[in-house]
Amino acid sequence: MPIPPQDYTLTTTLRLLPPYDVKAMNDEFQDATLLSVKDGVATFRITYHLFHKQVVTADPNWRKDDAKMAEYLRPRPAANWDPELRKRIIADLKADGIDPDNLDDKTLVEKVSRWAMRRAKSNDQFGLWMVEFDSGKPEVPDRLRGAFERNEPKGLTDAQLFDRELFGKGMYLNKTHGACTSSSTYLATILRALGIPTRIVVTVPAADGNDRAQVRMIAKAIRHKQTRLAVVEGVSGQGFSNHLFNEVYVGKKWVRLNYDVLGQGIVDHYYDGLMTHIYTAKDVSEIPFATTWGPRYGMREGPKLSSSNPYQLLSAEDHVPDPAHFDNPPAAELTSATIAGILVPGDPRLPSWLTWSEGLDALVEIKEWIPTDNFLQLRAFAASAASKFVLRAEGHPDVGLELVGGGMDDEKGTFQAFAARFVGKPEPGVAYRVVVDNAGQAHTWVVPPDLTFRLPG
């Protein structure tokens, strides 16, 4: 018989900058132990219950049962609902055929979260981490003003920007929200106004995807093939990455709500691969972003870990109680890629939808595509494959070609490629062979013997 899913675990050692809360880090998905704190960096041992799923039930008497949870219902500096907004929300819901008075808590959360995310548009604001709260009022410290303005649209006052990204009431009235930090406040405001106890969860990936060694480490540690693929796809090459979402009190227990997904698990290739719970807050105003992640994101300040991210994987090992009965189905994974061509601007093989980015010299086009997967297959492949090529022609100096960023595709399997830049200058008209060293890499490049690259002259 296959082993029970709950018996399969992964244990890591993770370095982490604040914010973190050891009590919050121990939940039904993971167990965390603080090992040490040195120079402002904490080291944790974390055991993940990879296959754990929350059982979500409904409580028809939720209004009476949840009324005592005032700390998760009342307005907060950011999730600032009031009686007037509550009336507006209920009226808007009823106009769209949703009657909160006749729904159990589970159904209400499912319907309202979907409705709320559909009615509001995502904007391009991301200055919230540069805002701190003084006596419940937001302000941008002088030292973070430049970083704040670089992450906000021009021509708006701070008050206008706050109403589009920070304050729940403003976001509701403006029908807009920012990234996940902002969206968690937007949903908390609406759900609390309707009587659903709601709080905010902060998570980070289990590894820094900017460090290929960490990606390989966690890939090597996870023996369950489908889980490994999801984790590697989610964590690979993601830049400055973390995720915030909500927990709602439904069916007399706390249940995770990721945008409109009730009962969110910790393994998800769209959300950092493997989400590590590090902090829980009643309101975003309680999270000290302006003293921790804000300066790191906006100004690259703080202790050096493996990259700009505030976390670093040191070790990883999974645990299978009975390997002989380990149910380990195959995963559709891109492990080998055949180079179809090296493309530069003006090449007729480039698709019409492609926009050439600044700092990009060439595209490494490949033939393979797994139709049952999505764009993350390219990111996962690149994380475990060689990232440097050599363009070689007899009688001419070698030219380097390095992958930069992730992949791009048309989602149909007719065009998929990786962004790259030259190290050196290829000579126009010269036919270069493409040379790649696959030694020591989990994924391999295949170079057809007749493949050459020629820069137009």
Side-chain angles (χ1 to χ4, degrees):
M1 293 292 292
I3 64 167
Q6 62 268 26
D7 289 348
Y8 180 59
T9 60
L10 173 74
T11 297
T12 67
T13 307
L14 188 72
R15 299 179 73 208
L16 181 66
L17 295 178
Y20 56 79
D21 179 355
V22 180
K23 183 178 179 181
M25 292 176 70
N26 285 273
D27 59 25
E28 60 186 292
F29 290 98
Q30 66 182 47
D31 306 306
T33 301
L34 177 62
L35 301 178
S36 65
V37 179
K38 183 178 180 181
D39 299 327
V41 182
T43 302
F44 287 91
R45 182 174 62 247
I46 303 173
T47 296
Y48 304 87
H49 305 280
L50 297 170
F51 288 171
H52 177 71
K53 294 183 179 179
Q54 290 186 308
V55 177
V56 186
T57 59
D59 179 8
N61 300 314
W62 62 276
R63 292 188 182 277
K64 178 180 178 182
D65 294 340
D66 297 351
K68 61 182 178 298
M69 302 185 69
E71 60 181 327
Y72 300 107
L73 289 170
R74 66 181 179 85
R76 296 281 176 175
N80 59 340
W81 71 271
D82 55 28
E84 179 184 358
L85 182 65
R86 181 178 184 275
K87 291 179 182 178
R88 171 74 176 268
I89 293 171
I90 293 174
D92 290 345
L93 284 168
K94 289 184 176 180
D96 286 337
I98 302 174
D99 186 356
D101 294 331
N102 294 317
L103 298 175
D104 60 61
D105 53 355
K106 177 176 179 290
T107 305
L108 178 64
V109 169
E110 291 173 334
K111 287 181 176 289
V112 170
S113 59
R114 287 194 296 267
W115 173 85
M117 296 313 299
R118 284 198 307 267
R119 75 178 294 276
K121 292 183 179 180
S122 178
N123 59 49
D124 58 356
Q125 295 182 224
F126 198 70
L128 189 119
W129 288 0
M130 273 61 77
V131 178
E132 63 184 12
F133 283 77
D134 183 13
S135 301
K137 294 184 178 181
E139 60 181 24
V140 181
D142 290 342
R143 65 188 181 88
L144 294 177
R145 171 57 65 177
F148 175 79
E149 292 180 352
R150 286 193 297 271
N151 285 276
E152 297 288 350
K154 307 300 181 185
L156 299 175
T157 66
D158 283 1
Q160 290 172 320
L161 293 171
F162 293 161
D163 270 339
R164 290 163 44 89
E165 182 189 18
L166 175 61
F167 291 131
K169 183 176 181 178
M171 285 188 280
Y172 185 87
L173 297 178
N174 285 297
K175 294 186 178 182
T176 187
H177 61 81
C180 62
T181 307
S182 173
S183 298
S184 64
T185 292
Y186 170 68
L187 285 174
T189 303
I190 296 171
L191 293 170
R192 287 179 183 173
L194 295 173
I196 298 291
T198 309
R199 59 191 187 188
I200 294 173
V201 173
V202 183
T203 68
V204 298
D208 185 348
N210 300 318
D211 183 347
R212 292 161 60 86
Q214 292 182 50
V215 177
R216 288 195 294 268
M217 184 189 304
I218 202 162
K220 185 177 180 180
I222 301 175
R223 282 173 282 180
H224 189 265
K225 298 171 185 176
Q226 294 180 350
T227 301
R228 179 180 66 235
L229 179 60
V231 172
V232 172
E233 284 189 342
V235 76
S236 301
Q238 82 282 56
F240 197 95
S241 186
N242 49 77
H243 190 47
L244 278 73
F245 51 93
N246 298 102
E247 279 187 327
V248 289
Y249 199 73
V250 168
K252 299 182 180 181
K253 65 176 290 187
W254 287 108
V255 179
R256 293 186 171 188
L257 176 69
N258 186 14
Y259 295 114
D260 59 358
V261 177
L262 188 62
Q264 171 71 46
I266 59 171
V267 176
D268 193 315
H269 64 180
Y270 282 117
Y271 297 101
D272 293 335
L274 177 57
M275 291 182 281
T276 305
H277 180 190
I278 64 168
Y279 201 84
T280 299
K282 302 180 185 72
D283 192 62
V284 73
S285 63
E286 300 176 356
I287 309 174
F289 283 132
T291 58
T292 55
W293 289 7
R296 191 169 189 86
Y297 174 77
M299 300 158 60
R300 297 297 186 262
E301 291 184 353
K304 173 68 176 177
L305 297 180
S306 48
S307 77
S308 59
N309 278 314
Y311 45 83
Q312 178 186 21
L313 178 67
L314 299 181
S315 68
E317 181 180 15
D318 70 353
H319 177 63
V320 180
D322 185 0
H325 297 97
F326 184 37
D327 186 19
N328 195 6
E333 185 175 4
L334 184 64
T335 59
S336 177
T338 304
I339 299 177
I342 308 297
L343 314 182
V344 295
D347 193 304
R349 292 170 291 179
L350 291 170
S352 59
W353 51 262
L354 183 70
T355 300
W356 207 263
S357 302
E358 184 178 352
L360 174 64
D361 294 328
L363 296 180
V364 179
E365 183 186 7
I366 65 170
K367 296 180 179 180
E368 289 79 8
W369 178 258
I370 299 174
T372 55
D373 205 347
N374 55 42
F375 69 95
L376 293 173
Q377 64 184 279
L378 301 178
R379 198 165 77 178
F381 172 82
S384 298
S387 61
K388 297 181 179 181
F389 306 84
V390 175
L391 303 180
R392 183 163 291 161
E394 187 174 351
H396 300 273
D398 286 351
V399 178
L401 184 67
E402 295 185 352
L403 298 187
V404 291
M408 59 194 72
D409 65 271
D410 63 3
E411 301 180 350
K412 300 175 183 177
T414 57
F415 184 86
Q416 42 277 340
F418 297 91
R421 64 174 170 231
F422 294 123
V423 181
K425 283 189 175 184
E427 297 180 38
V430 174
Y432 290 90
R433 293 182 297 111
V434 180
V435 180
V436 60
D437 184 1
N438 288 309
Q441 306 296 334
H443 297 162
T444 58
W445 297 96
V446 177
V447 183
D450 59 346
L451 178 71
T452 59
F453 165 72
R454 192 186 304 267
L455 188 69

